[in-house]
Amino acid sequence: MPVHCADSLVLRTFAYGEADRIVVFLTADRGKKRGVAKNASRSRRRFGAALEPLTRGRATYVEREGRELVRLDRVEPSGTPLQGIASVPVEEAARRLGHALYFAELLDEWAPNDAPNERLYRLGAAAARALEAAEGSVETLARYVEIWILRLEGVYPSIERCARCSAVFGGPVRLSRIDRGYVCRQCRPDGPVISREAMELLRLLPARSPDEAVRIGSPAAALRELEMAHRILMAEHLDKPLRSARVIRELGSSL
Ligand SMILES: [Zn+2]
């Protein structure tokens, strides 16, 4: 049976039988895998904190012929979202862990099973690193990750021209659900407005690294507009809303 060892990101885990856990993880070289981690629920000795969502690490796993589930033997973590949170206020810690879950869920939704997607892996790993350091705005990082996931899928709409009449944008625009894109205000009298500041951020963010993105001071209102626009765009493409996005919103309103 072939043994594989790869840089990986843990996406999520769930209980499997009495003592085992199923671990969904994204490998750098062979796409998304599901593996059984023996005894991971009963004993934390083997895996420790290495199975937290968005943990980066080296995973050793064995593929078994004719079986969809691999056997996950080991994850040697090189970084987890848990590191560094002991030294920040509890609200900030909750925000980071909430976003770790959110990024992991986004990657899980968009990564195909067993098909390599190196760029998606690199985005996830870089976002995880930026979140661990998180010196700045986790919300800006979240908008960055959303933009890039949609771009890598080839579905991020044009920020230069109206999706309906092709006019070049010169100011605030609207998001049109039917067009799955941004349109000029002449083309749509209603729908969420995306301000000039938010459009500016859309032009600025993709050219940066996640580390730089997290340090960009973005206006809170612009971030909220983009959060809503991206939620609509992603739901249109995934045909469902994401669980952890709602958790973050609830967290935000209770802080
Ligand atoms: Zn138009």
Side-chain angles (χ1 to χ4, degrees), residues 162 164-167 183-184 187:
C162 171
R164 200 164 270 198
C165 74
S166 298
V183 295
C184 60
C187 278

Side-chain angles (χ1 to χ4, degrees), residues 1-50:
M1 292 183 294
V3 178
H4 297 276
C5 196
D7 288 333
S8 301
L9 274 175
V10 174
L11 302 181
R12 66 190 164 98
T13 75
F14 47 94
Y16 184 64
E18 292 266 302
D20 303 342
R21 294 194 81 74
I22 302 282
V23 182
V24 181
F25 58 107
L26 184 63
T27 66
D29 55 347
R30 302 174 73 243
K32 189 166 70 175
K33 301 281 173 192
R34 286 163 181 270
V36 184
K38 284 273 174 205
N39 257 325
S41 289
R42 189 168 286 164
S43 154
R44 285 175 63 86
R45 212 170 2 162
R46 271 219 356 257
F47 290 98

Side-chain angles (χ1 to χ4, degrees), residues 5 46-47 50-51 58-61 71-76:
C5 196
R46 271 219 356 257
F47 290 98
L51 298 183
R58 197 93 185 132
T60 305
Y61 63 96
R71 193 186 76 212
L72 181 62
D73 287 342
R74 210 165 41 243
V75 178
E76 291 160 52

Side-chain angles (χ1 to χ4, degrees), residues 129-223:
R129 269 198 305 275
L131 191 62
E132 287 157 27
E135 312 229 329
S137 163
V138 170
E139 283 75 17
T140 308
L141 180 63
R143 305 298 80 81
Y144 175 92
V145 170
E146 291 160 353
I147 292 170
W148 267 109
I149 283 188
L150 288 162
R151 280 178 72 139
L152 291 179
E153 293 298 313
V155 295
Y156 202 92
S158 171
I159 56 168
E160 304 299 335
R161 285 172 180 276
C162 171
R164 200 164 270 198
C165 74
S166 298
V168 175
F169 292 137
V173 305
R174 288 188 191 278
L175 176 73
S176 165
R177 198 185 285 261
I178 312 169
D179 299 290
R180 291 186 172 186
Y182 300 115
V183 295
C184 60
R185 284 178 301 170
Q186 285 80 0
C187 278
R188 264 197 89 87
D190 53 9
V193 174
I194 310 297
S195 64
R196 190 185 290 271
E197 291 76 22
M199 292 303 280
E200 220 20 70
L201 199 53
L202 282 180
R203 291 192 184 95
L204 190 78
L205 274 180
R208 307 300 172 99
S209 70
D211 281 333
E212 292 166 339
V214 88
R215 288 196 295 269
I216 292 176
S218 318
L223 288 172

